Amino acid sequence: MTKTAWVFPGQGSQSQGMGIDLLDVPSTQKKFAQAEDILGWSVIEICQNNAEKLSHTLYTQPCLYVVESILADILREKEKPNLVAGHSLGEYVALYVAGVLEWSVGLRLVKRRAELMESSVGGTMVALMNFDRELLEKVIAETPDAVVANDNSPAQVVISGTPTAVEAVISRVKAKRAKPLNVSGAFHSPLMAAAATEFQDILESVEFHQAFVPVLSNVEPVSTVDAAVLKKRLIQQMTGGVRWREISLALPENGIERVVEVGPGNVLTGLIKRTCCDLILENISGVADLKVLAN
């Protein structure tokens, strides 16, 4: 049987209208209602009618968590993954699917995480495409207050830090393309330390369960089912980098032959394709994709 990994995208993959088709599936109604009770606002209303709000971290992260987790619940009726991983926010969905976190607990954590990250100011993030990696590593090492926040693929990274430091890196590395990201702060960098400390206190009080399937974490892409290890890694995630390139490389090393991206868009399968060319890649963005899979 083909060994399959499910991967879950993070902030940046959201799109207006995502999740709306899930309303046609009767089993989803309870989850959407439960989410509204926890959040105090409607995921469906934001996804359907308010593109501006959906672009803000405060709403983006809970909406992605709810939509992706519901898609995963439906997909689990048809198949089971052999391994899971998520990009930044997506790691919370992966932990839910692996049985590490109860669904409502995961959503409450995501809600608070989004609030803390939304309130972070004073930093910036810029994506770099097609660059000299050796030079980038040298420049980052020589530039205080700038780090590689997302190592996404051999040809794409995201730099995070103070505006001055990030600009200094860009000016020296001279990537083919540099794209500023529309975020409120320097996510996945030491500049998130204050928010991370507050969030750590919350995470410490949450019960993590041993995973049903191995999880590849952002900050340490070595698969594990150990609850204590997964909690420790999640605590480090807000200030640590997303090592997605290494996660991609770890997939075949873990015997994975097929990868299913569960959530809006195809960002992760695109990144994986640039890193590992021999994997079967599929996308489940909505009900239509689930129907195709069933056939």
Side-chain angles (χ1 to χ4, degrees):
M1 190 171 179
T2 304
K3 289 193 71 173
T4 297
W6 291 2
V7 297
F8 303 93
Q11 195 164 344
S13 290
Q14 72 276 4
S15 61
Q16 190 171 11
M18 70 177 189
I20 303 303
D21 57 349
L22 293 173
L23 291 173
D24 297 330
V25 182
S27 62
T28 68
Q29 306 293 333
K30 186 177 179 181
K31 277 278 173 67
F32 280 119
Q34 191 178 356
E36 187 168 352
D37 288 341
I38 292 170
L39 298 169
W41 45 268
S42 167
V43 167
I44 289 298
E45 183 179 329
I46 295 294
C47 290
Q48 188 169 24
N49 301 316
N50 203 321
E52 183 182 352
K53 276 190 174 181
L54 184 59
S55 69
H56 290 290
T57 299
L58 192 65
Y59 297 96
T60 307
Q61 294 188 11
C63 285
L64 284 170
Y65 177 89
V66 171
V67 170
E68 291 176 19
S69 61
I70 290 176
L71 277 171
D73 285 340
I74 301 172
L75 183 57
R76 276 195 286 196
E77 297 172 6
K78 308 174 189 302
E79 64 173 66
K80 298 289 190 294
N82 300 104
L83 183 146
V84 293
H87 191 287
S88 192
L89 176 277
E91 186 168 325
Y92 287 78
V93 188
L95 291 172
Y96 159 67
V97 170
V100 178
L101 292 171
E102 300 292 339
W103 185 82
S104 59
V105 171
L107 181 55
R108 287 187 173 91
L109 284 175
V110 168
K111 178 177 183 286
R112 187 61 187 136
R113 178 185 192 262
E115 290 168 349
L116 289 168
M117 293 177 76
E118 176 79 10
S119 64
S120 298
V121 294
T124 191
M125 300 180 77
V126 175
L128 302 183
M129 279 72 83
N130 297 317
F131 52 87
D132 182 324
R133 182 171 287 269
E134 187 176 337
L135 176 60
L136 173 65
E137 291 173 355
K138 178 178 182 294
V139 172
I140 286 288
E142 296 172 351
T143 309
D145 299 323
V147 298
V148 174
N150 301 349
D151 183 4
N152 286 329
S153 77
Q156 186 194 112
V157 299
V158 174
I159 307 302
S160 183
T162 63
T164 301
V166 170
E167 184 56 41
V169 171
I170 294 171
S171 66
R172 291 182 62 190
V173 172
K174 301 187 185 306
K176 184 174 182 180
R177 186 181 177 205
K179 179 184 177 183
L181 303 187
N182 183 22
V183 293
S184 58
F187 301 164
H188 298 291
S189 83
L191 295 181
M192 297 295 295
T197 298
E198 184 173 344
F199 193 58
Q200 178 176 345
D201 292 339
I202 299 168
L203 274 175
E204 293 284 14
S205 66
V206 173
E207 183 179 5
F208 278 45
H209 306 282
Q210 178 163 307
F212 299 140
V213 296
V215 180
L216 286 170
S217 301
N218 287 190
V219 300
E220 190 176 352
V222 177
S223 64
T224 186
V225 296
D226 187 279
V229 172
L230 290 168
K231 176 183 277 193
K232 179 183 176 183
R233 291 175 177 175
L234 196 63
I235 287 171
Q236 297 170 335
Q237 196 216 64
M238 196 177 284
T239 55
V242 177
R243 295 162 63 181
W244 193 258
R245 178 178 59 87
E246 293 171 77
I247 286 176
S248 299
L249 292 170
L251 294 172
E253 291 173 1
N254 281 269
I256 296 300
E257 303 163 274
R258 171 175 171 260
V259 180
V260 180
E261 181 173 0
V262 184
N266 56 7
V267 170
L268 298 186
T269 47
L271 294 173
I272 292 168
K273 185 177 182 179
R274 294 181 182 94
T275 307
C276 302
C277 59
D278 295 327
L279 296 171
I280 301 166
L281 302 174
E282 299 177 16
N283 293 84
I284 302 294
S285 298
V287 172
D289 297 321
L290 290 163
K291 289 178 179 177
V292 170
L293 185 67
N295 295 328

